[in-house]
Amino acid sequence: MRNFLEKHFDELEVGERFVSRGRTITEADIVAWASLSGDWYVLHTDAHFAARSRFGQRVAHGLLVHAVTTGLGVPPDAPAIIANYGTDNLRFVAPTFIGDTIHLASEVLAKTVKREGRDGVVKLQWNAVNQNGTTVMVSDLQILMAYAGGQ
């Protein structure tokens, strides 16, 4: 299935869907994210503490999960993306564990013209789903995109 973010604003239709490939979350991902962000919270980084938690094991950082979905969903050479416009309603609704494989499930929810013939904001459902079909993260991502020939 072609990623709809390879299209331009005026080529997108509300209701279009995209499901990405999967990516397994590793211990190295959690350590790298903790190093990069400075978030060394024990639920993510202390196996003994996490084993006694309600989750029974370490949990991936929510923002790591969100960042991974960006890598799964945003093509590196998307011709029309101008800027990330923001994320709304971001919720981490189930834990993501080391060894879970997540994929992005996305849908075009709305389009708002900013400058006619030039650009607009696309609102996307931007959810992470694990290998068991459990949704682990929900959000609405908004992207500023160019019209075909309008950048």
Side-chain angles (χ1 to χ4, degrees), residues 30-32 34-46 61:
I30 291 173
V31 172
S35 296
L36 187 64
S37 67
D39 180 354
W40 289 95
Y41 184 62
V42 291
L43 188 58
H44 309 303
T45 60
D46 183 329
H61 302 75

Side-chain angles (χ1 to χ4, degrees), residues 75-146:
D77 57 351
I81 293 177
I82 298 169
N84 181 337
Y85 208 67
T87 299
D88 297 321
N89 305 313
L90 177 62
R91 299 287 180 269
F92 305 107
V93 296
T96 299
F97 301 114
I98 295 169
D100 279 353
T101 299
I102 61 172
H103 68 269
L104 171 68
S106 187
E107 179 179 349
V108 178
L109 297 176
K111 294 170 54 178
T112 304
V113 173
K114 287 300 201 184
R115 294 182 302 166
E116 185 64 47
R118 303 235 11 199
D119 56 40
V121 174
V122 178
K123 180 179 180 181
L124 305 169
Q125 179 184 65
W126 198 262
N127 297 345
V129 179
N130 72 14
Q131 71 279 356
N132 299 318
T134 301
T135 300
V136 297
M137 181 204 79
V138 296
S139 68
D140 296 330
L141 180 68
Q142 297 191 52
I143 301 175
L144 182 63
M145 298 183 73

